[in-house]
Amino acid sequence: MIRSLLWKDTREHLPTLLTLCVGGIGLMIGVGALMGFEPGNTPMRTGQATGLCILLLAPGIALLLGSLFLGSDKENGVSAWLDSLPEPFWKIWLARNVFAMLSQLALVGAWGVFWLLVYAPKENLVEPVTVVFLLVVSLMGTGWGQWGVHRSRTVFGGFGNGLLGLIAAGLSILVMDMFLAFLVDMLAKTFRAERALSVAMGNFYLISGLAVSIVLPLFWVFIEISRQFGIPKVTQNSIVKAALRLFWLSGQGQSRPLLIMTAIGLVLGFMLPESFLVWPIWSLSIGVVSGLCVLAKDQNGPGQLHGSMRAFRPFLLDLRAIPAFLLGLVVNIVPILPLGIAATYRGIIYQGPDQQVLEIFWPGIGQYIPVASYICLWFCAGFGTALWCSFFLENSVVAFVVSWGMGALVSLVWIPALVGGGLSLLWVLGLVAVYWGLGRYLYRGFVSQYLSTAGPTSFGLMVVCVGLFCGFGILSRLYPARGQAEDPFSLDEISQAIKNENPKLEDEVRRHLVDNRRGIGPNAQFQFLPESTETLLNIPVSGWPEKVIRYLKEVAPKNSGELAGEWKVPDELFTFFGANQADRVVSEPLVWLYQSQNFNMQMQSRGISALWEVSRGTKGSEEKFANEIERILYLGECLRHKSHEPDFNNGDLLERFAYQMIDYHLMHNKPTEAGLAALAGVLKKAGARIKKVKPMTREIGFWISRKSNQNKSIWRKIYSSGPHIAEKPWIAAYWQMVDLALSAPWEMERSRKLINYWFSSNPPTDRFGSQEQYDYDLDLIPFWHLNTWNSKRPNKFLSIEQRSQVIETINDLAKTAIALKRFRVTKGSWPKALNELSPAYLKEVPKDSYSQADFGFRIFEAVQPLKVAPDKSGSDRHAGAGEGYSAPGMAVAGMPPGASAGMGGFADSLQVPDSGQMEIPLVPGTLILWSIGPDKKEPGALRSNGPGGSRYSGMVFVIAP
Amino acid sequence: MSNAIEITNLRKSYKGKLALDSVDLAVPAGSVCALLGANGAGKSTLMKILAGLQQPDSGSASLLGLDPWKGASELRLQVAYVAEKPKFYDWMTVANTGWFASGFYPPGFEANFQKVCQRLKLDSSVKLSALSKGGYAKVALALALAMGPKVLLLDEPTSGLDLFTRRDFLSGMVDLAGEGKTVLISSHNLAEVERVASQIVFIEGGRVILNQSMDDLKRRLVRLRQRGEPAFNISSVGKILRQGKDGPWSEWIVLRHETAEINADHGFEPIGLEEMYEVLLGAQEEAVV
C-alpha cells in the first residue's frame, strides 16, 4: 500500500513540489534583490526576516488553498474506489497524510536550506528558529487540508477542514510576528512601540483580508458543525442554502475569491506602505495565484483534463481567457514598446536594461525593474509553458523540465538588452513566446473545453503581472526621490518636444540627463562596459582588495583603457590610498567606482555596501564608514562629471541630501512634528520653499528652487516609505546626514529617554525641560554607539543651519583634498599654499566657511610616539583606539586627529607625561587638511570640550603622499 | 446451500428520503443474483451498503457471515465491488492502475489483472483518460476480477460495453458462479441478465417487490393467451397482473401461487424478464402485488 500510494502521490505532486521549490527560491532571490539583501553573512533586520518568513509561508498557504480548491476535486470520485480497497480506511489516509507532510517538509526544507545558506545571518538565530516554525505551521496546514479533503470526500468538506489549517497558519503568523517584533526587537534594544503596533495591525489586516475570501466558507463550516450538534434541520437548511448562495454569488466557483483576495492584497498593500501589509499580502497573492496555476496544471493530471472540472465549466467563465490574453498583451507590450521606440527615437542609448528609459517616466523605478522583470518572466514563462507542456506533452516531468527551460530562455532576452539596443523587439518576442502557449489554449479551449482551467489560470497570471507593474509603478511614484532626483522635465514636455522636434528642448533634455542624471559626461561615449563592472561585482567582497588590484592592473585597462586614460587613476589611487591599511580597505570601492565609468546610485550602493562589508566589525568601523562615505559621495560626484570639480552651485548634492534625509527620516523614525520641522529647516537650507507639513500623514510638500534654473520649481510630495525601502544599502550612506536632523534637541529628548531606558540606572526624567539643557553633560550620555555622526561631531547640538554648514565644509574639504592629491601626483610635491591649486586643479579654492580663510593643512613629517595623559580618574585606559583623548579641558595645539576617527589620533610631537605609547598609523609625508570647525578655535582640528574629554571635529582629510 | 448474502429489514435514508425500506434478501452462495429496478429504486445504495461503503440506518446485512460495515477490511479481500460509475486516476495507464491496486492485495493480483485484461482485450499501455466508456468499465471489471473474489458486487457493470464484450462478461459470471462464487449484479439490461441470473430481485421505491429464483419466476409469472374465455377460473390459479384483448385473442399474465405447478393443460407459457419487470412495475403501481 505504501509503495502504491507513494508512487502515485509522487507522480502527481512532484512537479508541483519542484515548481514550488524553484519558485520559492526564485522569489527569495527576487525579493532579496529588491530588499537589498546581500548573500552571505548579512545583517538582516527583523522586518526583513519577517517579510521573508511570510513570503516563504505564502506558497505553503497557496498550496493549501490550491489543494482545497482543486486537489479535493481531483480526488473526488476516486474515493469510492480507494475506499473499497482492502486496507483500513485510516491506514490509507494516514499514509497519504504522512506523504503530504513529508512533501511539505521537503519543500519548506529546501527553502529553509537555501535561505540559511544564502541569506541568513550566521550570528542571528532568529531566522533558523523561524524556519522551524514555518515548517511546523506548514505541516499543520497541509496535513489538515489533506485530511479534510480525503476524510470528507467532498470539496467543501476538505475546504472546511483545510480552513482550520489556514486559520492556524494565520494565527501562527501573528504569533510569529509578535514574537519577532516584541521579543527580538526588545532584546536587541531597539524597541519601538509603534513598530510592534504596526506589526500587529498589519497582521490584523492580513488576517482580515484572508477572512474576506474565506468568511463564507467559514460560515459553511459553522453550519456543518452545528449540524453535528443537532441544530434543527429547518434552520440548518435555510442557513446552508443562504451561505452557499452567498458563497456562490461572491465566488462563482473557484477563482474569484482568490482573485478578489489578490486584488485586495495589492490595493491594500500599496495603499498602506508603512504597514507590514506590503510584503505579506503581495507575496501571498503571488503565491496563491502561482499555487493555483501549478495545481491547476496538476489538477489536469499529466496531460489530461479532470472530468469533474468539466462539471464546473459553466461557472468558470470560460471566456476569461480571452480578456486575459488581451490583457496580458496590453499590460506587457503596450507600455514597453512605445517606451523603447521613444527612447530609440530620442537617441537615448541604453546603459542597461529598460530602467534607464523608464526612469524618464517613472523616476526611481530603475531599481525595481530588474526584479519586476525577473518575477514577471519567471511566472509568465514558467507557468505559461508549464501549462502548455502539461497539456500537449502529456507528461508532467517533461513539462516541468521544458517549462523551466523555456522560462530561462525567455529570460535571456535581457542579455542582449544589457549590451544595448534591441530590447523592445526581444521583449515582444519573448512575450509572444510566452503567450503563444496561452494562445494555443484559446484554440484548444474552444474545441476541448480546456478553457475551464486555462481561463482562471491565465487571468490569475495577468493579475500578477498587472499587480507587479502597477505596484512597482506606484512604488516608484510614491518614493521618487531615493537617490534619483526627479527629472524636471515632465513627460508631457518630452512628448511635446518629440512632437514639435524642438531641438532646443531636446538638447536641454539631453544635457540634463547627461550631466545630472546619467553619470556620464557631455562628450562621453555612451557605452556600457560589462566587463569592467559586472566582473567586479562578482568578486567576493572578502577578497576584494587584492583581486580588484590585480583585475584593474591586468584586465581592466584592456577593456576600458580609453575611458580610464584621461587620468591614470588606478595606480595613483592605489598609491594614494595604499598608505595605510585603514584607508585602504575603504578606498577600493572608490577605485571601482572610478573604473566603472558608470557611476550611478545603484553602482554607488554596491560600493557603499561593499565598503560596509569590509569595514564593519573592526574597531571604529562605524566612524570610519561614515567618514569615508562622504568622500565617496563626493568623488562620485567628481567622477560623474568626469571632472574633479563638481558643480555644487547647482545644489545637486544638497538637493539630494535633502531628499534622502526626508526619505530616511520618514522611513525609519515615524517623524514627529518636530522631526518634520527639522527637515523643513534643512530643506530651506537646500533652497526649498516649504509648502506644507502634514505630520499626521507624514507628508511634506515643498518647492525646490534650483539655483541653476530659478524658473524651474518643482512641487514635490514625499510620502513615507516602507521598511523594505529603508533596507536599501545606499540609504545608509545618508545615515549620518539624517542624524543631523535627528539630533535636533527635540529629537534628542527621545533618544535620551531611550538611552536612559536601556541604562535603567538612569530612568527617564523630565530634567531636559529646555533646549539649553540639551547641551548639558552630553558626554555622560553614551550616545556615540547610537549616533555615529555625533560621535565625531562637536559635543553639542548644532542648529539645522549649522549642520548643513558642516556638510558643505566637508564637501569643500574633499574637493580640496582631491586637488591636493592631483597636485602631488603632477608636481611630485605638496603645494606651499592652497592657492597654488588654482586654477589648474581648482577653479577656485574653497574657503573654510568657519573662518572665511583657507583650510588648515600641514605635512606629517615623522613617526612619533603618542603619549596620552591620564584622564580625571587617574587611569590611563584611553590610550587605545576608539577612545578620545583623555586630557580634560586640555587644548593640545598642533595635534590634528586621525583620518579615521577613534584611532587615537596622531601628532608630530606630543609630550604628555605618564602615558602609554602607540604607533602612529601614518607614513611620513602625509598631508593633513582640516577645517577649524564650528567653534572656530581649533587650529589642529582638535576640539576639547566638556567634562568628559575631547572630541574631534571630524572635518579632517588625510591624504597619503 | 448457505447464503452468501443475507439482509434483514434493512433501512437507509438520505436527508429524510427513504432509499431502502425494510429490505429482506438472501442470496445463496454460488448464485448469480440480478438486482433489477428503475433509477433511484435503491439498487446502488444496497450495493454500497454491502460493499461496506455506507452504513445502514437500521436492520442487518451479512456478507459471507460478516457485517459489511464492521468487517469491511476483511471482506474487501473476498468481495469485489464495481461502482456504477467507476473512477480511477485517469493519468495512469491500465497497467499502472493494476500495479497501483496490487499494492493493496496479496501477491498474484497483478498477474491476474494482466490475464483478465487480455481476456477483456484491454491494451494495458493505454492511459485511462484515453479509454472509451466501455474500456473504462473493463478496467473496473478487470480490477474486480483480478482479486479472485468470493462475492462480486457489480453495479451496472455492463454499461457502456459493446455487445460481444457484454456477452463474454456475462458468460464469465456464469463461470464464476460455477466455481462457487456469488455474483450480485444490478442492471437495466434485462434480456442479458435473464440469460445468466439464477435469482431475480425486483426493487422499487426502496422496497423489494419480488425475490425469486429465475426458475421459480418463470414458473410463477406466466402468460395465458387464447381465443375466448379460458376453460378454468384463472383467479384460482393465481393473481391476474394484466389482462388484455387483441382482436379475437385474450391474454392474461398471471402470478401463480407459489405452490402451483406449470400445467401445460392450462396453456400457460413463461414470459421474458423484461415483460415480467414491466408487469410487476404496473402491478406495483396499482398495489396489486
Side-chain angles (χ1 to χ4, degrees):
Chain A
M1 177 190 72
I2 300 294
R3 175 203 67 177
S4 295
L5 288 177
L6 282 181
W7 171 78
K8 182 194 79 68
D9 282 347
T10 303
R11 282 291 305 273
E12 285 184 346
H13 297 303
L14 190 60
T16 301
L17 287 173
L18 288 174
T19 304
L20 285 178
C21 179
V22 176
I25 290 174
L27 277 174
M28 273 192 276
I29 296 172
V31 174
L34 192 64
M35 296 174 74
F37 291 179
E38 291 291 339
N41 191 16
T42 302
M44 187 184 295
R45 291 176 58 83
T46 305
Q48 289 179 323
T50 307
L52 195 50
C53 287
I54 296 170
L55 188 76
L56 285 170
L57 191 58
I61 295 176
L63 182 63
L64 179 64
L65 286 173
S67 71
L68 295 175
F69 278 104
L70 298 171
S72 56
D73 201 38
K74 179 174 185 152
E75 291 291 338
N76 202 18
V78 185
S79 297
W81 177 47
L82 295 178
D83 286 351
S84 67
L85 292 171
E87 285 289 350
F89 172 81
W90 62 270
K91 272 191 183 176
I92 296 179
W93 306 137
L94 182 63
R96 303 196 67 181
N97 278 317
V98 167
F99 176 79
M101 292 186 179
L102 288 175
S103 305
Q104 196 72 353
L105 187 71
L107 179 64
V108 181
W111 294 337
V113 166
F114 177 83
W115 186 11
L116 288 174
L117 290 180
V118 178
Y119 285 132
K122 308 301 181 291
E123 70 271 20
N124 192 342
L125 287 179
V126 172
E127 283 72 30
V129 168
T130 310
V131 169
V132 174
F133 189 81
L134 276 173
L135 210 62
V136 175
V137 171
S138 301
L139 290 178
M140 245 179 2
T142 307
W144 288 355
Q146 293 260 355
W147 178 82
V149 167
H150 297 309
R151 177 65 183 88
S152 59
R153 300 176 199 164
T154 66
V155 177
F156 282 122
F159 188 81
N161 284 286
L163 277 179
L164 295 175
L166 181 61
I167 294 168
L171 291 175
S172 302
I173 296 172
L174 180 63
V175 173
M176 178 177 68
D177 281 355
M178 297 300 283
F179 166 78
L180 289 171
F182 280 113
L183 184 61
V184 178
D185 274 8
M186 191 165 65
L187 289 178
K189 298 179 180 178
T190 57
F191 175 81
R192 283 185 299 182
E194 63 269 31
R195 164 81 187 284
L197 185 63
S198 170
V199 172
M201 289 304 293
N203 283 286
F204 171 75
Y205 288 125
L206 169 64
I207 293 177
S208 300
L210 287 174
V212 168
S213 59
I214 64 177
V215 63
L216 294 176
L218 262 178
F219 196 46
W220 182 89
V221 174
F222 167 74
I223 296 303
E224 185 66 24
I225 294 172
S226 69
R227 182 184 296 177
Q228 298 297 326
F229 287 90
I231 290 177
K233 286 187 176 179
V234 175
T235 310
Q236 273 184 31
N237 290 338
S238 58
I239 297 176
V240 167
K241 285 178 183 174
L244 288 177
R245 182 172 178 76
L246 282 172
F247 175 68
W248 185 253
L249 289 175
S250 66
Q252 291 209 6
Q254 278 184 310
S255 55
R256 189 174 288 183
L258 294 177
L259 296 179
I260 290 174
M261 191 167 69
T262 302
I264 291 174
L266 290 170
V267 171
L268 284 184
F270 291 111
M271 284 179 64
L272 302 172
E274 254 328 336
S275 111
F276 267 64
L277 277 176
V278 177
W279 289 109
I281 291 190
W282 198 11
S283 61
L284 182 68
S285 304
I286 294 173
V288 166
V289 177
S290 60
L292 190 62
C293 293
V294 176
L295 287 167
K297 173 186 74 66
D298 223 26
Q299 163 68 18
N300 299 333
Q304 53 118 14
L305 175 62
H306 195 285
S308 54
M309 280 297 289
R310 293 193 180 100
F312 283 94
R313 194 181 67 84
F315 310 107
L316 283 178
L317 302 179
D318 289 354
L319 297 181
R320 281 178 188 176
I322 297 174
F325 176 71
L326 296 175
L327 187 62
L329 291 175
V330 169
V331 166
N332 287 278
I333 295 178
V334 170
I336 300 299
L337 195 58
L339 286 179
I341 294 172
T344 305
Y345 177 76
R346 301 295 297 162
I348 300 170
I349 309 302
Y350 303 109
Q351 288 186 344
D354 262 3
Q355 70 261 31
Q356 299 293 343
V357 179
L358 287 173
E359 275 180 11
I360 299 171
F361 305 96
W362 278 357
I365 198 175
Q367 56 193 313
Y368 298 113
I369 282 292
V371 181
S373 309
Y374 167 83
I375 295 176
C376 278
L377 286 171
W378 190 284
F379 278 96
C380 291
F383 289 116
T385 47
L387 286 164
W388 181 82
C389 292
S390 129
F391 183 51
F392 284 99
L393 300 181
E394 299 194 349
N395 184 312
S396 59
V397 177
V398 175
F400 175 80
V401 173
V402 173
S403 62
W404 286 111
M406 179 69 88
L409 279 176
V410 173
S411 299
L412 293 182
V413 301
W414 290 105
I415 290 180
L418 285 172
V419 296
L423 177 60
S424 296
L425 178 62
L426 287 169
W427 177 275
V428 172
L429 288 177
L431 286 170
V432 168
V434 170
Y435 285 103
W436 180 64
L438 292 178
R440 296 297 295 265
Y441 272 136
L442 289 178
Y443 171 74
R444 293 295 298 240
F446 287 116
V447 178
S448 65
Q449 302 178 342
Y450 196 74
L451 288 182
S452 58
T453 298
T457 300
S458 53
F459 194 66
L461 281 171
M462 291 313 103
V463 169
V464 172
C465 293
V466 170
L468 285 168
F469 271 85
C470 294
F472 286 126
I474 293 169
L475 269 180
S476 69
R477 284 193 179 279
L478 287 180
Y479 323 120
R482 289 180 303 278
Q484 313 235 7
E486 185 180 64
D487 196 297
F489 298 96
S490 69
L491 174 62
D492 290 337
E493 286 173 325
I494 293 177
S495 302
Q496 194 63 33
I498 295 172
K499 186 177 178 181
N500 299 336
E501 298 182 352
N502 183 336
K504 186 177 179 182
L505 184 54
E506 184 177 355
D507 288 341
E508 182 66 11
V509 171
R510 179 181 177 82
R511 186 199 65 77
H512 183 84
L513 291 177
V514 166
D515 288 348
N516 299 327
R517 293 292 313 280
R518 298 289 165 245
I520 45 182
N523 300 315
Q525 297 293 319
F526 296 144
Q527 187 176 4
F528 186 73
L529 298 172
E531 294 85 1
S532 63
T533 54
E534 297 303 319
T535 307
L536 280 172
L537 294 180
N538 293 327
I539 296 176
V541 170
S542 59
W544 208 4
E546 294 75 14
K547 291 185 178 179
V548 170
I549 290 169
R550 190 169 69 249
Y551 171 81
L552 292 177
K553 285 186 174 178
E554 298 174 3
V555 182
K558 299 175 184 174
N559 297 327
S560 55
E562 184 180 348
L563 289 172
E566 182 181 338
W567 187 38
K568 296 193 177 303
V569 174
D571 286 339
E572 293 173 357
L573 279 178
F574 289 133
T575 305
F576 173 51
F577 289 103
N580 65 66
Q581 188 60 31
D583 271 339
R584 180 177 179 143
V585 294
V586 297
S587 300
E588 301 307 334
L590 181 63
V591 177
W592 168 71
L593 288 172
Y594 180 86
Q595 192 66 26
S596 73
Q597 283 291 318
N598 191 22
F599 189 85
N600 56 37
M601 286 312 294
Q602 289 186 346
M603 297 295 182
Q604 194 177 7
S605 73
R606 298 296 295 263
I608 292 168
S609 175
L611 171 66
W612 173 244
E613 284 294 328
V614 298
S615 62
R616 77 191 186 90
T618 58
K619 208 160 190 177
S621 60
E622 291 85 357
E623 295 181 16
K624 199 183 306 175
F625 176 70
N627 201 17
E628 292 300 324
I629 283 296
E630 268 305 301
R631 257 197 279 178
I632 287 186
L633 289 177
Y634 168 77
L635 290 171
E637 289 295 316
C638 297
L639 297 167
R640 283 176 55 186
H641 292 271
K642 296 204 73 170
S643 155
H644 304 290
E645 297 176 52
D647 182 13
F648 286 111
N649 290 331
N650 64 13
D652 271 1
L653 197 59
L654 270 179
E655 180 183 336
R656 198 169 68 184
F657 161 41
Y659 283 126
Q660 296 305 324
M661 187 185 299
I662 291 168
D663 227 10
Y664 185 88
H665 190 67
L666 293 174
M667 282 185 288
H668 267 292
N669 297 286
K670 315 281 192 220
T672 60
E673 189 175 357
L676 280 174
L679 291 173
V682 176
L683 285 169
K684 285 179 182 175
K685 179 66 182 173
R689 286 186 287 124
I690 303 302
K691 181 77 174 178
K692 196 167 188 180
V693 178
K694 299 178 182 176
M696 294 303 292
T697 55
R698 296 164 187 167
E699 294 176 31
I700 186 165
F702 58 93
W703 295 83
I704 288 282
S705 297
R706 298 169 61 86
K707 293 177 182 175
S708 60
N709 190 354
Q710 294 290 343
N711 295 325
K712 284 284 179 185
S713 295
I714 310 164
W715 166 247
R716 296 298 301 271
K717 219 173 189 181
I718 296 181
Y719 298 85
S720 57
S721 308
H724 52 293
I725 303 300
E727 303 303 337
K728 277 293 185 187
W730 52 265
I731 290 289
Y734 297 91
W735 194 305
Q736 54 179 323
M737 299 180 181
V738 175
D739 277 345
L740 284 173
L742 292 183
S743 56
W746 40 80
E747 286 291 325
M748 196 59 203
E749 183 178 13
R750 190 168 69 94
S751 300
R752 284 177 185 275
K753 288 180 178 178
L754 277 176
I755 292 165
N756 287 333
Y757 172 77
W758 295 336
F759 296 83
S760 54
S761 59
N762 289 318
T765 67
D766 292 327
R767 67 192 178 97
F768 299 105
S770 66
Q771 185 170 333
E772 289 71 22
Q773 283 183 279
Y774 294 136
D775 292 338
Y776 168 75
D777 201 13
L778 180 63
D779 277 14
L780 294 181
I781 299 175
F783 194 66
W784 59 269
H785 69 277
L786 180 71
N787 189 333
T788 58
W789 181 266
N790 275 275
S791 69
K792 63 189 184 66
R793 288 299 152 198
N795 57 354
K796 65 179 183 180
F797 296 107
L798 301 175
S799 68
I800 296 300
E801 288 76 14
Q802 287 171 321
R803 295 172 207 288
S804 300
Q805 189 178 8
V806 169
I807 294 290
E808 289 177 332
T809 303
I810 287 180
N811 288 330
D812 285 339
L813 274 171
K815 184 160 56 173
T816 307
I818 290 293
L820 280 165
K821 179 59 188 172
R822 293 181 65 199
F823 186 97
R824 166 80 175 185
V825 169
T826 307
K827 308 280 188 181
S829 62
W830 297 111
K832 304 292 184 189
L834 291 182
N835 57 17
E836 290 182 34
L837 298 174
S838 178
Y841 301 97
L842 277 174
K843 286 179 182 173
E844 183 181 352
V845 178
K847 302 293 186 185
D848 187 343
S849 62
Y850 294 105
S851 64
Q852 302 306 318
D854 287 347
F855 289 115
F857 82 102
R858 67 192 180 89
I859 313 298
F860 187 79
E861 293 298 342
V863 177
Q864 297 289 339
L866 172 65
K867 297 183 177 181
V868 181
D871 61 14
K872 58 184 176 181
S873 68
S875 66
D876 188 18
R877 55 188 171 85
H878 291 320
E883 303 288 346
Y885 290 102
S886 55
M890 176 181 178
V892 185
M895 188 184 71
S900 303
M903 289 299 291
F906 43 84
D908 292 326
S909 62
L910 176 64
Q911 297 298 325
V912 180
D914 188 24
S915 65
Q917 293 185 353
M918 65 177 291
E919 286 294 326
I920 299 171
L922 294 185
V923 298
T926 300
L927 186 141
I928 304 165
L929 177 73
W930 70 87
S931 162
I932 65 169
D935 58 1
K936 303 178 182 178
K937 55 181 181 180
E938 188 186 49
L942 175 66
R943 180 177 292 102
S944 175
N945 276 333
S950 302
R951 283 287 185 271
Y952 305 129
S953 70
M955 287 182 284
V956 177
F957 273 69
V958 177
I959 310 166
Chain B
M1 183 185 296
S2 62
N3 291 329
I5 300 172
E6 287 187 358
I7 297 172
T8 307
N9 200 25
L10 199 68
R11 292 171 67 89
K12 175 71 180 176
S13 60
Y14 295 111
K15 299 178 181 177
K17 184 185 177 184
L18 210 56
L20 292 177
D21 184 10
S22 303
V23 171
D24 295 308
L25 179 63
V27 179
S31 63
V32 177
C33 177
L35 203 56
L36 307 177
N39 289 330
K43 302 189 300 293
S44 293
T45 301
L46 186 57
M47 286 283 192
K48 286 178 182 173
I49 289 176
L50 291 173
L53 298 175
Q54 289 184 356
Q55 193 173 15
D57 295 341
S58 63
S60 67
S62 168
L63 202 63
L64 300 174
L66 294 171
D67 185 307
W69 180 257
K70 295 176 181 172
S73 300
E74 192 174 343
L75 281 173
R76 279 171 191 158
L77 287 171
Q78 307 174 60
V79 177
Y81 167 69
V82 176
E84 183 179 4
K85 295 176 182 174
K87 191 76 184 69
F88 309 108
Y89 295 104
D90 288 348
W91 57 268
M92 294 183 188
T93 65
V94 174
N96 288 157
T97 306
W99 186 89
F100 173 76
S102 69
F104 297 84
Y105 290 98
F109 179 91
E110 195 178 4
N112 288 342
F113 179 78
Q114 290 171 353
K115 289 177 188 172
V116 177
C117 285
Q118 287 175 354
R119 203 177 83 197
L120 295 176
K121 298 174 182 173
L122 260 178
D123 183 354
S124 58
S125 65
V126 175
K127 281 188 177 180
L128 266 58
S129 58
L131 287 175
S132 65
K133 189 179 177 184
Y136 215 93
K138 283 182 184 179
V139 174
L141 290 173
L143 287 169
L145 295 175
M147 61 182 283
K150 290 181 180 175
V151 175
L152 266 164
L153 303 175
L154 308 173
D155 197 355
E156 300 281 355
T158 59
S159 173
L161 296 182
D162 59 68
L163 175 64
F164 297 107
T165 307
R166 269 204 314 268
R167 285 182 180 173
D168 287 346
F169 169 73
L170 291 170
S171 63
M173 296 301 103
V174 176
D175 295 339
L176 288 172
E179 297 169 7
K181 295 176 179 176
T182 307
V183 179
L184 180 61
I185 180 170
S186 73
S187 177
H188 287 117
N189 197 326
L190 303 178
E192 288 177 352
V193 170
E194 182 179 7
R195 289 165 42 201
V196 299
S198 59
Q199 184 177 1
I200 301 295
V201 176
F202 286 107
I203 187 167
E204 183 60 30
R207 302 184 62 181
V208 174
I209 58 175
L210 186 66
N211 176 14
Q212 291 284 326
S213 70
M214 182 58 88
D215 291 341
D216 285 347
L217 202 58
K218 287 183 177 177
R219 178 177 58 80
R220 289 185 64 198
L221 199 58
V222 294
R223 174 194 288 117
L224 177 62
R225 182 180 173 88
Q226 65 178 47
R227 287 175 181 271
E229 293 297 318
F232 61 96
N233 183 4
I234 298 177
S235 300
S236 65
V237 179
K239 286 185 179 179
I240 301 174
L241 299 181
R242 181 191 288 175
Q243 185 174 1
K245 208 166 174 61
D246 181 16
W249 293 92
S250 296
E251 185 180 272
W252 296 266
I253 293 181
V254 180
L255 179 65
R256 303 202 322 164
H257 298 310
E258 289 191 15
T259 54
E261 296 290 333
I262 293 179
N263 189 337
D265 293 342
H266 287 164
F268 286 121
E269 56 186 23
I271 62 174
L273 192 57
E274 190 168 339
E275 197 170 8
M276 287 182 192
Y277 183 56
E278 183 184 351
V279 169
L280 281 171
L281 276 186
Q284 171 77 3
E285 289 173 0
E286 296 169 10
V288 174
V289 177

